Amino acid sequence: METVSSIREFHNVLNGELVPASFGRKIDSINPANGKVWARVPGSTAEDAENAVAAAKQAFPKWARYSAMERAAFLRQIGDLIAQHGEELAMLETNDCGWVIRETSYGLIPTLTSIWYDAAGAASVASRGETIQLSPTSFGYTLREPLGVVVGILPWNAPLFTFTIKAAYALAAGNAVIIKPSEFASVSSLRYGELLNTILPPGIVNVVSGDREVGEALVRHREVNRVTLTGSGNTAKAIVRSTAQAPKPLTFELGGKSPNIVFADANLEKAVEGVTTNGIFTGNAGQICVGGSRILIQRPIFEEMVSLMKEKMREELRLGDPLDPSTTMGPIANEVQYNKVRNFIEIGVQEGGTILTGGRSGEEALSVKDARFSNGFWVEPTLIQVQRNSLRICQEEIFGPVATVMSFDTEEEALEIANDTSFGLGAGVWTTNLACAQRMIKNLQSGNVWVNTYRRVGPELPFGGVKESGFGRDSILENTQEKTCVIEEG
Ligand code: NAD
């Protein structure tokens, strides 16, 4: 049993200070690799939401008055600070959501710093408008202004990434920010907010952890001027309802059921990596919104491809201690999700799917038996062959290390299956035929299409979904509003 002293306590970051939740409520943070409580975070209430909005609202005008170049200087300093604290932040993220250290440390932290530097560079874009000559004696022009208080609601699978993408561009544009991390993974965000506050003036970035109660209070608040959610479709719908009485711009980054399509003429070596390891399993054990969870393979290469995929998975996927740099797959991030993923594997089998590899969970899924992790939320990387795309496991987001595999004959059929989903977040196409690639890009209903690569995201590339995968982008311009002015000769 854990001793009380070994459990770390984290606090909300409000107006530059570290404070507990009102009424002292706390939420246990469970390390998903061993099922043990390792930290406690505030279980904030509507009262904390009120305090956060008041702090942000008060801080906003001063921040907005800084020039774009001055704000950029702050953001560059934050980028440097995050790089300096990279090891600590990567460890927190790994302990809190099980995302393996080789990804949080070598992939995530450099991405976070590059987002801060990119946002610094983008700050001046937020202050650029247009000039429109209306007549010889009059002209119009547009001003871009910050919105005010921006609320970012985070999911549990990628707290630091979503925190950064929401806060960096909002700050660059001159807004004040409130971040509400997921009740399942708040630790890294609370510490991140604390670090940011060593550089920023108080109240510019506030972090309140808690469940939907505090989330709802924030999004419905009349003094909140924009809400950006990364999360599920159901939460997006709840936010639309909550904001109906005080409408504001909404950005939704939601779920996916992304097809990853391999044509017979593809470079198979690249495609195998692109649909198995990099496509889904090494992306936080499949807990990534763009996970290529529906693998479509053209019939002539189906058998060969499946056998190469199984071999690649056997060789490269190693489930175990997330803090060991040689581990390539961690656990499922929390118990609720663990049960959901296992349930979906069962459903897949009941629906007539055939497990090609994987399927086991719990201790049995570990690559090497290790008593320290026997109570962790482990699920083996699993491929399920299916004959129809109408099955629940092909239509509903599983959000774990489970992908369906299906064959197709023609390009038209691949396209039809790929688009036969309510989601539209990512899509992969593997082919050496440029004309085929171009047709697929044009016709795939997806916010992102990758050809002969997969899951390439970064600050240089806009990112977001279509259909039920959401709308809007966490870009600099979405954090501004336009004012149109007209001046006539006096
Ligand atoms: P979730 O929707 O359950 O929760 C997300 C956040 O919303 C949490 O912080 C939660 O407390 C808060 N919340 C819940 N109800 C609320 C309400 N009524 N008002 C305000 N806030 C509320 O999602 P999750 O399970 O944490 O995350 C997984 C989901 O996120 C998956 O669907 C995944 O695809 C999606 N996701 C999408 C992207 C993307 O960029 N498109 C990235 C990562 C995750």
Side-chain angles (χ1 to χ4, degrees):
M1 204 175 131
E2 289 292 303
T3 58
V4 173
S5 60
S6 68
I7 296 175
R8 296 181 60 182
E9 295 272 341
F10 291 83
H11 299 291
N12 283 336
V13 187
L14 267 183
N15 208 18
E17 293 187 0
L18 302 185
V19 292
S22 55
F23 312 116
R25 267 179 27 188
K26 291 179 186 174
I27 298 175
D28 287 342
S29 281
I30 313 269
N31 179 337
N34 57 25
K36 288 184 183 166
V37 176
W38 77 286
R40 292 210 172 89
V41 300
S44 308
T45 64
E47 196 170 312
D48 300 301
E50 197 62 51
N51 293 338
V53 175
K57 194 181 162 215
Q58 196 191 358
F60 163 67
K62 190 167 168 230
W63 180 246
R65 269 200 302 274
Y66 280 117
S67 71
M69 291 303 103
E70 285 167 333
R71 286 197 299 270
F74 278 104
L75 302 190
R76 271 193 300 276
Q77 271 188 60
I78 294 178
D80 294 344
L81 184 77
I82 297 315
Q84 283 156 22
H85 287 265
E87 199 176 323
E88 177 200 356
L89 290 166
M91 295 263 285
L92 293 179
E93 192 85 323
T94 295
N95 276 340
D96 217 28
C97 40
W99 196 349
V100 292
I101 198 83
R102 65 187 280 149
E103 287 175 39
T104 55
S105 183
Y106 309 127
L108 177 68
I109 298 297
T111 304
L112 303 185
T113 54
S114 66
I115 293 171
W116 286 108
Y117 298 143
D118 186 64
S124 63
V125 175
S127 52
R128 265 181 226 154
E130 284 181 295
T131 309
I132 306 117
Q133 191 75 48
L134 295 170
S135 74
T137 58
S138 63
F139 68 95
Y141 65 94
T142 59
L143 287 175
R144 285 211 170 260
E145 298 177 335
L147 295 159
V149 177
V150 172
V151 163
I153 307 275
L154 311 187
W156 46 257
N157 68 314
L160 289 180
F161 179 79
T162 46
F163 187 136
T164 306
I165 209 86
K166 293 183 187 312
Y169 296 101
L171 294 175
N175 300 285
V177 170
I178 303 170
I179 295 291
K180 207 292 281 174
S182 163
E183 56 274 39
F184 292 110
S186 299
V187 168
S188 56
S189 298
L190 292 165
R191 174 67 180 135
Y192 203 62
E194 186 184 344
L195 286 172
L196 264 51
N197 271 270
T198 62
I199 287 178
L200 293 167
I204 298 298
V205 169
N206 306 278
V207 187
V208 280
S209 62
D211 57 20
R212 65 179 292 163
E213 178 189 340
V214 64
E216 256 173 12
L218 284 169
V219 302
R220 74 165 67 238
H221 203 292
R222 286 183 184 275
E223 305 285 359
V224 166
N225 307 100
R226 171 176 179 248
V227 172
T228 159
L229 161 80
T230 298
S232 64
N234 284 341
T235 301
K237 286 172 195 155
I239 289 177
V240 169
R241 287 191 296 271
S242 302
T243 53
Q245 296 310 316
K248 55 203 72 174
L250 302 174
T251 300
F252 289 153
E253 304 272 8
L254 310 177
K257 198 72 197 173
S258 302
N260 210 347
I261 308 160
V262 189
F263 286 94
D265 65 359
N267 173 333
L268 289 199
E269 199 185 324
K270 278 187 87 174
V272 164
E273 185 190 358
V275 302
T276 53
T277 46
N278 189 45
I280 179 160
F281 299 117
T282 57
N284 198 5
Q287 300 163 101
I288 32 162
C289 50
V290 288
S293 54
R294 290 185 299 143
I295 302 169
L296 308 179
I297 304 172
Q298 205 162 22
R299 204 174 304 274
I301 55 159
F302 187 83
E303 297 302 330
E304 182 187 1
M305 185 73 190
V306 166
S307 126
L308 290 171
M309 282 157 60
K310 282 164 54 176
E311 190 183 316
K312 181 94 177 160
M313 289 166 68
R314 234 185 352 263
E315 278 171 7
E316 294 191 14
L317 298 179
R318 194 172 162 276
L319 273 81
D321 183 358
L323 289 171
D324 178 343
S326 68
T327 303
T328 52
M329 265 184 72
I332 301 298
N334 58 69
E335 196 168 4
V336 176
Q337 184 63 15
Y338 176 56
N339 291 330
K340 180 176 162 191
V341 173
R342 292 195 305 169
N343 193 31
F344 264 117
I345 294 175
E346 265 176 41
I347 291 171
V349 173
Q350 284 159 16
E351 286 181 313
T354 309
I355 294 185
L356 298 173
T357 179
R360 290 182 302 177
S361 57
E363 207 177 356
E364 280 198 320
L366 281 170
S367 301
V368 179
K369 203 165 160 9
D370 185 333
R372 289 176 301 159
F373 304 117
S374 50
N375 292 322
F377 309 139
W378 307 100
V379 176
E380 267 186 327
T382 301
L383 293 176
I384 305 181
Q385 186 174 353
V386 297
Q387 308 299 333
R388 284 177 298 121
N389 190 55
S390 56
L391 306 185
R392 277 186 69 191
I393 53 163
C394 302
Q395 293 291 328
E396 294 177 38
E397 187 184 46
I398 299 173
F399 214 57
V402 182
T404 57
V405 187
M406 190 174 165
S407 61
F408 68 90
D409 288 302
T410 63
E411 190 182 307
E412 293 70 30
E413 191 190 356
L415 200 56
E416 195 184 317
I417 300 168
N419 287 339
D420 173 26
T421 166
S422 53
F423 296 107
L425 191 57
V429 178
W430 300 85
T431 179
T432 48
N433 178 340
L434 184 59
C436 166
Q438 294 282 27
R439 283 190 298 271
M440 294 299 283
I441 290 171
K442 185 166 184 298
N443 294 310
L444 279 164
Q445 298 163 352
S446 178
N448 306 272
V449 182
W450 295 286
V451 176
N452 297 325
T453 180
Y454 199 77
R455 213 156 55 84
R456 282 277 278 279
V457 293
E460 319 91 309
L461 295 164
F463 179 82
V466 299
K467 295 160 78 175
E468 289 187 28
S469 290
F471 51 77
R473 306 287 183 266
D474 275 317
S475 67
I476 185 94
L477 292 185
E478 287 208 12
N479 281 292
T480 66
Q481 58 195 357
E482 265 188 313
K483 180 179 280 174
T484 303
C485 321
V486 176
I487 298 188
E488 172 80 49
E489 213 171 79

